[in-house]
């Protein structure tokens, strides 16, 4: 049995949980951040549990999302989060490759999978070739460290692939970001103590 949204995703549609077009805490510079809906890993203490179900959320054709990224001014890169981006691997890897080959934007990918798991799934070589930073490993609540900037727990690895266009930076200094839109709606991003995006 495969959830219906995975079947649709396989037909070139992303199932998206959330997008922030200009955020500053999920990698260097100003980033276009994409949260994908669906995660089967179920890490204890995860603060994005609303993104676990493989339910229909917001479907966007991958070419349309790519064009939206290209049309977004003043960004330095794209960050993929979730949910679990590699549970929509075909579209995620396609978009990462398009960004790497056709733009000056950098790719940062969060995944709960370890390198060995990604190798077994056949995703690692494409992910490694086209990413500038891979943050891998399941969140472990017992190893939570609130002083980390890019990770939630100390077991998670920061992998800068050979040829990365990013300089390795300090992982210290946890950050949160509050975004207030033109209608006064507020979104909180980062690694908080409560369940928010």
């Amino acid at each position: 049995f495969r959830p219906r949204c995975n079947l649709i995703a396989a037909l070139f549609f992303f199932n998206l949980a959330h997008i922030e077009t200009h955020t500053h805490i999920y990698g260097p510079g100003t980033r276009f951040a994409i949260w994908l809906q669906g995660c089967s890993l179920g890490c204890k203490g995860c603060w994005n549990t609303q993104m676990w179900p493989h339910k229909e959320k917001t479907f966007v054709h991958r070419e349309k999302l790519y064009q939206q990224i290209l049309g977004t001014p003043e960004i330095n890169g794209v960050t993929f989060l979730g949910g679990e981006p590699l549970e929509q691997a075909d579209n995620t890897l396609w978009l990462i490759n398009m960004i790497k080959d056709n733009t000056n934007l950098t790719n940062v990918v969060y995944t709960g999978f370890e390198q060995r798991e990604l190798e077994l799934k056949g995703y690692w070589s494409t992910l490694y070739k086209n990413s500038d930073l891979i943050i891998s490993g399941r969140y472990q609540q017992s190893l939570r460290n609130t002083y980390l900037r890019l990770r939630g727990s100390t077991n998670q690895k920061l992998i800068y692939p050979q040829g990365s266009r990013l300089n390795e930076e300090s992982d210290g200094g946890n950050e949160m970001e509050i975004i207030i839109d033109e209608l006064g709606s507020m979104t909180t991003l980062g690694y908080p103590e409560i369940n928010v995006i």
Side-chain angles (χ1 to χ4, degrees):
F1 171 76
R2 295 177 66 193
R4 181 172 173 239
C5 67
N6 281 351
L7 295 175
I8 294 172
L11 299 173
F12 314 118
F13 282 83
F14 279 103
N15 186 20
L16 303 178
H18 186 72
I19 287 177
E20 285 294 338
T21 59
H22 294 85
T23 181
H24 302 90
I25 63 173
Y26 297 110
T30 303
R31 310 198 66 78
F32 188 107
I34 304 166
W35 284 262
L36 282 81
Q37 182 70 34
C39 180
S40 64
L41 300 178
C43 300
K44 182 179 179 182
C46 173
W47 44 86
N48 285 344
T49 56
Q50 74 277 15
M51 296 180 192
W52 286 5
H54 287 89
K55 64 179 182 180
E56 298 179 8
K57 186 75 175 182
T58 302
F59 290 115
V60 177
H61 194 283
R62 65 190 192 181
E63 182 65 36
K64 182 177 180 182
L65 182 57
Y66 175 59
Q67 292 300 325
Q68 182 182 356
I69 292 166
L70 294 182
T72 301
E74 300 177 1
I75 57 172
N76 303 106
V78 181
T79 298
F80 297 83
L81 311 99
E84 171 51 56
L86 293 170
E87 288 188 359
Q88 297 184 44
D90 288 347
N91 290 324
T92 298
L93 294 174
W94 176 87
L95 185 54
I96 291 168
N97 180 63
M98 290 293 287
I99 292 165
K100 175 71 180 286
D101 284 353
N102 300 298
T103 76
N104 292 321
L105 302 174
T106 58
N107 286 310
V108 173
V109 181
Y110 282 80
T111 177
F113 293 114
E114 302 283 350
Q115 178 177 339
R116 181 64 182 144
E117 293 174 297
L118 295 169
E119 289 171 346
L120 289 172
K121 291 175 181 291
Y123 303 155
W124 180 253
S125 61
T126 301
L127 181 65
Y128 187 87
K129 174 186 172 188
N130 295 299
S131 300
D132 297 285
L133 172 59
I134 303 165
I135 301 158
S136 74
R138 288 162 181 74
Y139 171 70
Q140 292 187 22
Q141 192 171 30
S142 62
L143 298 177
R144 177 166 169 72
N145 183 335
T146 58
Y147 295 100
L148 298 174
R149 177 172 177 245
L150 297 173
R151 300 174 289 160
S153 58
T154 56
N155 63 294
Q156 294 172 312
K157 296 180 176 70
L158 299 177
I159 301 169
Y160 290 87
Q162 184 176 3
S164 172
R165 297 165 292 173
L166 296 176
N167 296 320
E168 293 189 31
E169 57 181 89
S170 169
D171 190 30
N174 188 13
E175 297 176 312
M176 288 186 65
E177 186 172 29
I178 297 173
I179 299 171
I180 302 173
D181 70 17
E182 62 277 0
L183 300 176
S185 182
M186 185 172 71
T187 302
T188 305
L189 304 174
Y191 301 107
E193 294 297 333
I194 57 174
N195 283 340
V196 295
I197 290 182

